[in-house]
Amino acid sequence: MSDFEDIQIFVRVAELGNLSAAGRELRHSAAVVSNRIARLEERLGVRLLNRTTRRVNLTTEGDVYYRHCLRILSEMQEAENAIANQKNTTRGPVTLTCPVAFGNKYVVPIIPKFVEQNPDVQVRLHLSDRLLDLLQDKVDLAIRIAELKESSLIVRKLAANKRMLVASPDYLAKNGTPKVPADLLNHNCLLLRFPGSQQYQWTLQGAGDDAPVTLAVAGSMDSDNSEVLTRWCLDGHGISLKSDWEVGEYLRDGRLERVLPDYQPPSHAVYTLYPENRYLPTRVRAFVDFLVSEFGGTPPWERDKD
């Protein structure tokens, strides 16, 4: 039994003036109630109650302690009421992290719509290509475009996502077009690097039954920001591994071309992740549902092709 429960027992004994009456109300025996009071007195080093065969009365120290305990219990009730209100209403802050390019392109534009629908919610957006720890960094949910590892987080898929190798026509004209995956070892590969990043190795799967090929590619420039890599790629500085949502428009207007189109990198879907949802606040659940409705079905980068 916790110290907080001992305080509750003490308060009821003080109010009822009887150990047995307090025990009946709290569903404890008189002996248990007496032991809990004795434990409090031993911990505090003072006598809280004067006991007679029929009634107990507060000592001077007990009266002081009783008044403080009342305030503690009142504040605890207020805290529980506040949490209940937050839990059952869509209000308060929602902290979200997502990759920089994806966030700028597809998340930033839709946040005002969510806030307009939920005016008592404040959205706090962190754009980063680094993978934040939701629990350690106190983040409510994340959008990830990656091969997810086992974790205790709840995962919901938002959209499928194809990936491909791309380069500008100028780069390919100057440096030649790779014909097989091994040719990439002789090209300037633009890499996304940050602690935990796996993009310094590219895995490609051919159309046949051959095993996937994994290459330790390299280049003269890398960045922890995927938008930088896209800029360098457009400017003709190398080959980059990109998602359809990042470069689809540049493929359509000819500013980029696919490299090794017969060899497919593993697809990384777009997911939202959040902690175990038993006690998920209503505001966070509402934002997750909003993301699913915005990206479900045909995702916006596919709609852009129409």
Side-chain angles (χ1 to χ4, degrees):
M1 187 176 294
S2 70
D3 290 340
F4 182 71
E5 290 175 305
D6 289 351
I7 290 173
Q8 291 177 307
I9 290 173
F10 165 71
V11 167
R12 290 310 290 152
V13 169
E15 291 172 343
L16 296 173
N18 186 280
L19 296 176
S20 298
R24 286 193 296 271
E25 181 178 298
L26 299 172
R27 298 185 179 181
H28 294 307
S29 68
V32 168
V33 172
S34 180
N35 287 337
R36 297 286 76 80
I37 298 298
R39 186 168 77 169
L40 265 180
E41 291 176 328
E42 182 179 357
R43 183 165 64 83
L44 295 170
V46 297
R47 178 178 289 278
L48 298 173
L49 300 171
N50 288 319
R51 299 163 175 83
T52 67
T53 55
R54 294 191 175 185
R55 187 167 178 82
V56 295
N57 296 294
L58 291 170
T59 64
T60 300
E61 292 81 4
D63 183 64
V64 172
Y65 190 64
Y66 169 73
R67 284 185 276 111
H68 282 282
C69 288
L70 283 181
R71 187 171 66 251
I72 291 169
L73 293 176
S74 176
E75 290 177 355
M76 282 297 299
Q77 186 61 56
E78 288 181 12
E80 291 182 2
N81 291 340
I83 293 300
N85 289 336
Q86 290 281 10
K87 181 179 177 182
N88 295 319
T89 59
T90 309
R91 66 174 58 182
V94 173
T95 304
L96 166 69
T97 179
C98 66
V100 176
F102 188 86
N104 280 327
K105 200 172 184 68
Y106 295 111
V107 179
V108 169
I110 64 174
I111 285 177
K113 178 180 177 181
F114 176 80
V115 173
E116 184 176 348
Q117 295 172 354
N118 302 275
D120 293 326
V121 175
Q122 303 84 46
V123 178
R124 297 169 180 169
L125 176 63
H126 296 279
L127 296 180
S128 175
D129 287 326
R130 299 173 184 266
L131 303 182
L132 300 183
D133 184 299
L134 270 64
L135 299 179
Q136 181 176 330
D137 295 307
K138 298 181 180 179
V139 176
D140 291 313
L141 70 157
I143 292 176
R144 297 271 167 84
I145 307 168
E147 181 180 353
L148 300 180
K149 298 179 180 179
E150 290 289 332
S151 76
S152 60
L153 299 175
I154 305 298
V155 177
R156 291 183 69 175
K157 183 177 177 180
L158 297 179
N161 171 51
K162 294 184 295 185
R163 298 195 304 159
M164 61 201 72
L165 298 177
V166 296
S168 71
D170 286 346
Y171 174 86
L172 297 175
K174 292 177 183 177
N175 298 278
T177 300
K179 304 298 183 185
V180 294
D183 292 343
L184 293 170
L185 299 175
N186 299 315
H187 280 267
N188 197 43
C189 297
L190 305 172
L191 305 178
L192 185 66
R193 285 191 187 271
F194 54 83
S197 171
Q198 299 297 314
Q199 287 209 26
Y200 59 87
Q201 290 186 326
W202 288 352
T203 298
L204 300 171
Q205 175 67 63
D209 296 329
D210 295 338
V213 177
T214 299
L215 301 166
V217 293
S220 60
M221 299 186 294
D222 59 62
S223 176
D224 63 355
N225 186 306
S226 63
E227 290 180 312
V228 171
L229 302 185
T230 301
R231 181 75 267 161
W232 285 339
C233 201
L234 287 167
D235 290 344
H237 297 301
I239 298 172
S240 190
L241 175 59
K242 287 291 174 182
S243 292
D244 187 25
W245 61 263
E246 289 182 276
V247 297
E249 62 183 293
Y250 305 127
L251 293 170
R252 291 191 292 275
D253 66 19
R255 295 173 64 186
L256 293 177
E257 296 180 5
R258 288 194 62 176
V259 175
L260 296 171
D262 294 331
Y263 295 87
Q264 183 70 36
S267 295
H268 288 171
V270 182
Y271 301 96
T272 183
L273 295 77
Y274 49 94
E276 191 272 328
N277 63 357
R278 182 181 176 190
Y279 301 115
L280 192 68
T282 301
R283 62 186 182 275
V284 178
R285 192 183 305 278
F287 197 85
V288 170
D289 292 340
F290 173 75
L291 290 175
V292 172
S293 68
E294 288 292 314
F295 291 101
T298 304
W301 52 91
E302 292 292 338
R303 298 196 292 268
D304 291 344
K305 296 178 181 179
D306 298 337

